[in-house]
Amino acid sequence: MNGISKQEKSWIFYDWANSAYSLIITTAIFPIYFKAAAKNAGVTAANSTAYWGYANSIATLLISILAPILGTIADYRHFKKRFFTFFFSLGIIFTTLLAIIPGQQWIVLLICYMCAVIGFAGANIFYDAFLVDVTSEERMNRISARGFAMGYIGSTIPFILSIALIILAQKGVLPLSVTIASQVAFAITALWWGLFTIPMLKNVEQRHYIAQEPNPIINSFRRLFGTFRNIKQQQPIFLFLLAYFFYIDGLDTIITMSTAYGTDLGISSTNLLIILFVTQVVACPFALLYGELAERFNTKIMLYVGIIVYIIICIYAYFLKTTLDFWILAMLVATSQGGIQALSRAYFARLVPKEAANEFFGFYNICGKFAAIIGPALVGVTAQMTGNTNSGVFSLVVLFILGGLLLVRVPERAAASHEKHI
């Protein structure tokens, strides 16, 4: 973190803060908790995996509708911070509720989870857009990659505490049931998320904005429709968004569905938690490596590398049978999940006009979020049709191939002009 400004560090620390949610709620402990609750209610494994996918799709649809509208309004001075604070608070409130609602209420848990997803995803729209406010174009790859790397480190601390609680409860060392231990883990997540967001709230401000004008909401809609009409004229942005739409869908779906997938394969909860922990540790240096290699070579080349790795992951998943296979799959994911997300964020931030960053990041997020409706639904439908979760994960290979082919079409002159300082 040497040589990084106070604003850059504060921005990076939000990745440290909210990554606990990504790991514990989205990927690891809550999916296992939900699967167990659904099983106890008589829901089959394939159906509970499908419901999990549908819940993610519905929540994503709602935030996707809001993203470009709120992003356009947030381009006015002070609005970005207000929207960020609202959604981050929403996420924390419903994450806390997951720790309170009885485990047998699996439908209510799923609804609260959907609300937490909206809060988490909504806050990330404005967090990503703050990248243009905290650093310069030539440092965006490095700062974005460090955000993801810090996120991987930060998420492991509450994750270790949560795993320790659950394992000690399983072994009878602590006078707690596994259900209560899991609920404590959700409370730890909310506390961690809130505590380490304080530097972001104190030190990061909107530097690029549109001047205030009468009727800001009406004018925001006018600007939004104008941008939507003209976005095809901005070929590099338009093509990149199309490419991102497909490949980030596949990536987000693998992250979201991974624990449910492992459970369906018969991998124990303890093994799943250990695998996910090691994945976080391995992902940290690889996120930094992607940032360094992007500066040495080219951001677009490293995005191709990440897409190819994920195509291999989808193919390998089809033949996956044992816990060792799942370990190999997890380590492959660890090599590229942070890098491809960090470089996508930085690449797009350099393409868009800074004073309208929220508006364009609204489109960026709507592509990512609308895409994430397709992926989980695709896995859920394919798993139900075939009765085989492996086939569902394999179906995601189409999304990575389409994303890679579209990325090829992004004009090289756009990438070159924005990377000339790197």
Side-chain angles (χ1 to χ4, degrees):
M1 297 288 282
N2 291 333
I4 296 178
S5 71
K6 183 178 182 180
Q7 289 74 27
E8 289 172 339
K9 287 179 181 178
S10 298
W11 183 85
I12 287 170
F13 254 95
Y14 185 70
D15 253 320
W16 171 285
N18 76 351
S19 290
Y21 171 92
S22 295
L23 181 57
I24 293 172
I25 305 299
T26 303
T27 308
I29 297 174
F30 184 72
I32 295 172
Y33 181 80
F34 167 74
K35 292 280 288 185
K39 182 180 179 181
N40 290 337
V43 182
T44 66
N47 281 335
S48 63
T49 297
Y51 295 144
W52 178 253
Y54 299 150
N56 279 283
S57 294
I58 293 169
T60 299
L61 174 62
L62 293 174
I63 195 62
S64 297
I65 293 170
L66 292 173
I69 298 170
L70 297 179
T72 307
I73 298 172
D75 282 327
Y76 292 112
R77 189 175 187 178
H78 302 309
F79 277 83
K80 186 189 291 191
K81 192 74 160 285
R82 292 170 187 169
F83 284 141
F84 169 80
T85 303
F86 170 79
F87 280 102
F88 135 78
S89 301
L90 182 69
I92 287 180
I93 289 169
F94 279 95
T95 300
T96 303
L97 286 176
L98 296 178
I100 299 172
I101 295 168
Q104 61 268 29
Q105 301 293 327
W106 69 274
I107 296 177
V108 179
L109 282 171
L110 202 58
I111 292 171
C112 286
Y113 167 74
M114 290 165 62
C115 293
V117 169
I118 291 171
F120 174 78
N124 275 349
I125 295 170
F126 307 103
Y127 168 65
D128 288 342
F130 267 118
L131 181 60
V132 304
D133 298 296
V134 299
T135 194
S136 59
E137 283 194 7
E138 60 269 19
R139 291 173 61 83
M140 284 182 181
N141 275 342
R142 180 173 297 180
I143 298 304
S144 184
R146 273 163 175 70
F148 273 93
M150 285 292 288
Y152 289 127
I153 296 172
S155 64
T156 59
I157 299 172
F159 187 51
I160 290 171
L161 291 174
S162 300
I163 289 176
L165 281 172
I166 292 169
I167 292 177
L168 291 175
Q170 284 177 332
K171 294 183 178 296
V173 176
L174 291 177
L176 299 173
S177 67
V178 174
T179 296
I180 293 176
S182 298
Q183 291 173 327
V184 172
F186 306 151
I188 290 172
T189 302
L191 179 63
W192 183 274
W193 189 359
L195 180 64
F196 289 104
T197 304
I198 293 174
M200 175 85 177
L201 296 174
K202 287 181 61 178
N203 302 321
V204 175
E205 297 295 338
Q206 185 175 0
R207 291 173 50 217
H208 302 285
Y209 51 82
I210 293 172
Q212 291 279 10
E213 56 186 350
N215 302 315
I217 295 178
I218 294 174
N219 285 319
S220 293
F221 274 99
R222 289 173 180 167
R223 287 192 294 110
L224 176 63
F225 293 138
T227 299
F228 189 76
R229 285 196 305 269
N230 298 327
I231 199 168
K232 287 187 178 181
Q233 298 175 8
Q234 305 182 55
Q235 190 182 40
I237 295 176
F238 179 65
L239 287 175
F240 178 77
L241 286 175
L242 282 177
Y244 179 76
F245 177 91
F246 287 106
Y247 72 71
I248 207 64
D249 178 18
L251 185 149
D252 283 344
T253 303
I254 287 174
I255 293 173
T256 303
M257 306 292 287
S258 60
T259 304
Y261 176 44
T263 301
D264 287 354
L265 292 170
I267 299 173
S268 70
S269 298
T270 302
N271 277 333
L272 278 174
L273 294 177
I274 293 171
I275 291 169
L276 289 168
F277 168 72
V278 175
T279 300
Q280 297 298 108
V281 174
V282 173
C284 174
F286 275 98
L288 294 173
L289 180 62
Y290 263 77
E292 296 297 325
L293 292 176
E295 292 191 359
R296 179 175 298 183
F297 299 105
N298 181 282
T299 306
K300 203 172 169 186
I301 289 174
M302 294 310 300
L303 287 174
Y304 292 144
V305 171
I307 290 170
I308 290 170
V309 170
Y310 269 93
I311 289 173
I312 294 170
I313 287 168
C314 291
I315 295 171
Y316 187 78
Y318 182 75
F319 301 99
L320 190 146
K321 294 180 180 178
T322 67
T323 301
L324 176 60
D325 288 332
F326 196 82
W327 267 102
I328 295 171
L329 195 74
M331 295 306 101
L332 284 172
V333 169
T335 65
S336 298
Q337 70 174 5
I340 196 171
Q341 291 178 90
L343 296 186
S344 295
R345 179 169 63 186
Y347 190 90
F348 188 72
R350 289 198 301 274
L351 287 177
V352 303
K354 291 183 176 60
E355 70 280 0
N358 297 289
E359 180 180 356
F360 280 94
F361 266 100
F363 283 102
Y364 177 83
N365 278 275
I366 198 173
C367 283
K369 300 311 175 188
F370 260 126
I373 296 167
I374 299 172
L378 180 62
V379 172
V381 170
T382 307
Q384 284 188 310
M385 288 178 63
T386 63
N388 184 351
T389 308
N390 292 41
S391 299
V393 179
F394 176 73
S395 68
L396 297 174
V397 73
V398 176
L399 302 178
F400 290 107
I401 292 173
L402 286 172
L405 291 175
L406 286 166
L407 186 62
V408 171
R409 298 189 62 192
V410 177
E412 289 291 346
R413 64 181 181 277
S417 66
H418 288 282
E419 296 190 23
K420 62 185 179 181
H421 300 297
I422 295 177

